[in-house]
Amino acid sequence: MNLKFFGAWLGLASLFCALPATAQTTGLDLARASNCLSCHQVDGRRVGPSFTLVARRFAGQAGAVDYLASTIRSGGRGRWGAVPMPAQPQVSPEQAKAIAEWILTLDQAPARKP
């Protein structure tokens, strides 16, 4: 095998292997920076449901990312119990989408403690 080709292939392979970890780190970092962890934990209940439980409820549903991103920004009530989720308008639509995408990865990934 051509050594240049092998080196290029190895570089691409390492990039693709790193993508899920990068996405999860970015999502977790955004959740931390947006104070999501004040009410939610990755794998345990605090005030609101765990992100892992949210991921399980919405796994495989069309439109789940947009729905969760909208809920992050506009809040919600009555879906997980009596305590409403306050709106988080300081979270940009792009950040909310990134957090929602990260949350949905938790259905397949082992939970990481913050």
Side-chain angles (χ1 to χ4, degrees):
M1 183 186 318
N2 182 332
L3 195 54
K4 278 187 173 181
F5 174 77
F6 181 73
W9 181 86
L10 188 60
L12 283 173
S14 65
L15 173 66
F16 286 115
C17 289
L19 285 178
T22 303
Q24 286 189 342
T25 301
T26 301
L28 180 57
D29 290 343
L30 281 171
R32 283 184 178 135
S34 302
N35 293 320
C36 300
L37 298 175
S38 296
C39 295
H40 300 275
Q41 292 182 348
V42 173
D43 59 359
R45 185 167 183 88
R46 189 167 273 168
V47 175
S50 71
F51 290 137
T52 304
L53 191 59
V54 173
R56 285 186 195 133
R57 180 179 277 188
F58 291 97
Q61 291 185 24
V65 170
D66 292 333
Y67 175 79
L68 291 173
S70 174
T71 300
I72 290 167
R73 290 188 34 83
S74 61
R77 87 174 14 160
R79 295 182 196 112
W80 296 92
V83 179
M85 179 177 157
Q88 305 298 315
Q90 78 281 3
V91 177
S92 74
E94 295 79 19
Q95 290 170 326
K97 185 173 181 178
I99 292 168
E101 288 171 344
W102 168 72
I103 289 170
L104 291 172
T105 68
L106 297 174
D107 183 51
Q108 298 109 20
R112 290 178 37 187
K113 296 199 181 228

